[in-house]
Amino acid sequence: MIEGASAWFAVQSPMLQALLAGLFTWTVTALGASVVFFTESVNRRFLDAMMGFAAGVMIAASFWSLLAPSIDMAEAQGIPTWLPATVGFLLGGVFLRLADAILPHLHVGAEMHEAEGMQTSWRRATLLVLAITLHNIPEGLAVGVTFGAAALQMDVATGATLAAAVALAIGIGLQNFPEGIAVSMPLRGEGVTPLKSFWYGQMSGFVEPVSAVLGAFAVVSVRPLLPYALSFAAGAMIFVVVEELIPESQRHGNTDLATMGAMGGFAVMMLLDVALG
């Protein structure tokens, strides 16, 4: 049955594959948010370790699943190998920086006066969801462009294979679990009902299937964009890691624990990509 499902998935269009993968990562976010139905609080040390784990997954995915294939594709296309990786990477960071400056949001654990982006009267819950949503955009794009790359690149040497795309989706899904918790639990602690806390938590992942489909469509429609799109997603993800995940994981003094979580997350994503990809 599993083999049949795998065979069916392999012959679908990259947009459908990206959509299904995005729905998977969204579902895992919802699973994390559902913890709010079973407890009113989560151990801070555990949450910091999981945030570090998420950072490690994203760092590993940025290289193994995105930058390395981008460099290989540039070489196969006969263009300077450093060009797409460097340009796309920096553009991804600039894109997230601009979005960060414009979109009102509040990082987990921050006070209302620390809200970033344009001034607004929106509630804390909305700002928290927007913060996670903002950094879920590059995750969805990363999933989408890898499925698009797998459809366009038949040369396994580039690393752009369907198995590698599936490995990335699994890795992103794993690190989405603590992200769902990170939104729903603080809201529950502030007196928001479990149902509303869950709703806000799972909504933070809604952007992933949308951005995954857009990413796959973009690279399939404009093939020369492929190596740039891969490195763009990598740059956006690294921006999120450095700007949000690492500082948040160490905000409460659990520096060593968060660091070990990041090491574990990197190892898990590297293992997934090398073993499956």
Side-chain angles (χ1 to χ4, degrees), residues 6-18:
S6 299
W8 175 86
F9 183 81
V11 299
Q12 302 307 308
S13 72
M15 274 75 77
L16 179 56
Q17 291 172 341

Side-chain angles (χ1 to χ4, degrees), residues 9-269:
F9 183 81
V11 299
Q12 302 307 308
S13 72
M15 274 75 77
L16 179 56
Q17 291 172 341
L19 174 62
L20 294 174
L23 290 173
F24 163 73
T25 60
W26 179 21
T27 299
V28 180
T29 303
L31 287 174
S34 70
V35 171
V36 78
F37 292 118
F38 307 101
T39 180
E40 293 187 2
S41 63
V42 173
N43 183 273
R44 185 70 251 178
R45 288 170 56 82
F46 170 77
L47 191 54
D48 288 345
M50 288 298 96
M51 294 296 282
F53 179 87
V57 168
M58 292 178 71
I59 293 171
S62 295
F63 175 74
W64 295 100
S65 301
L66 299 169
L67 285 174
S70 173
I71 293 170
D72 291 340
M73 289 174 193
E75 183 177 14
Q77 293 177 12
I79 58 179
T81 54
W82 57 267
L83 184 62
T86 303
V87 172
F89 183 84
L90 293 177
L91 286 177
V94 169
F95 170 77
L96 255 290
R97 177 65 188 97
L98 292 175
D100 194 63
I102 295 171
L103 184 68
H105 62 284
L106 180 68
H107 294 305
V108 175
E111 301 295 332
M112 280 298 290
H113 68 271
E114 298 178 277
E116 300 178 19
M118 298 176 62
Q119 294 295 317
T120 179
S121 59
W122 292 347
R123 294 180 302 172
R124 179 181 178 84
T126 303
L127 295 175
L128 283 170
V129 172
L130 287 175
I132 302 296
T133 299
L134 181 62
H135 93 226
N136 279 345
I137 292 175
E139 294 174 13
L141 284 175
V143 170
V145 297
T146 53
F147 278 101
L152 295 177
Q153 297 290 328
M154 299 285 76
D155 182 3
V156 177
T158 65
T161 64
L162 181 60
V166 171
L168 176 61
I170 293 173
I172 294 297
L174 288 175
Q175 62 96 43
N176 273 359
F177 187 82
E179 290 179 4
I181 297 175
V183 176
S184 63
M185 293 309 301
L187 294 176
R188 183 72 183 101
E190 294 176 7
V192 179
T193 66
L195 184 59
K196 283 189 176 181
S197 297
F198 167 75
W199 174 256
Y200 284 121
Q202 63 85 29
M203 277 302 295
S204 66
F206 176 74
V207 70
E208 289 198 8
V210 176
S211 54
V213 172
L214 291 176
F217 178 78
V219 298
V220 169
S221 300
V222 189
R223 183 167 181 163
L225 284 179
L226 185 51
Y228 295 91
L230 287 166
S231 56
F232 179 96
M237 287 174 65
I238 291 297
F239 181 93
V240 168
V241 169
V242 177
E243 199 267 345
E244 180 178 350
L245 290 181
I246 291 178
E248 170 56 27
S249 70
Q250 302 188 0
R251 179 191 290 265
H252 304 91
N254 297 315
T255 302
D256 292 338
L257 190 61
T259 301
M260 293 309 297
M263 296 288 290
F266 187 98
V268 167
M269 186 63 240

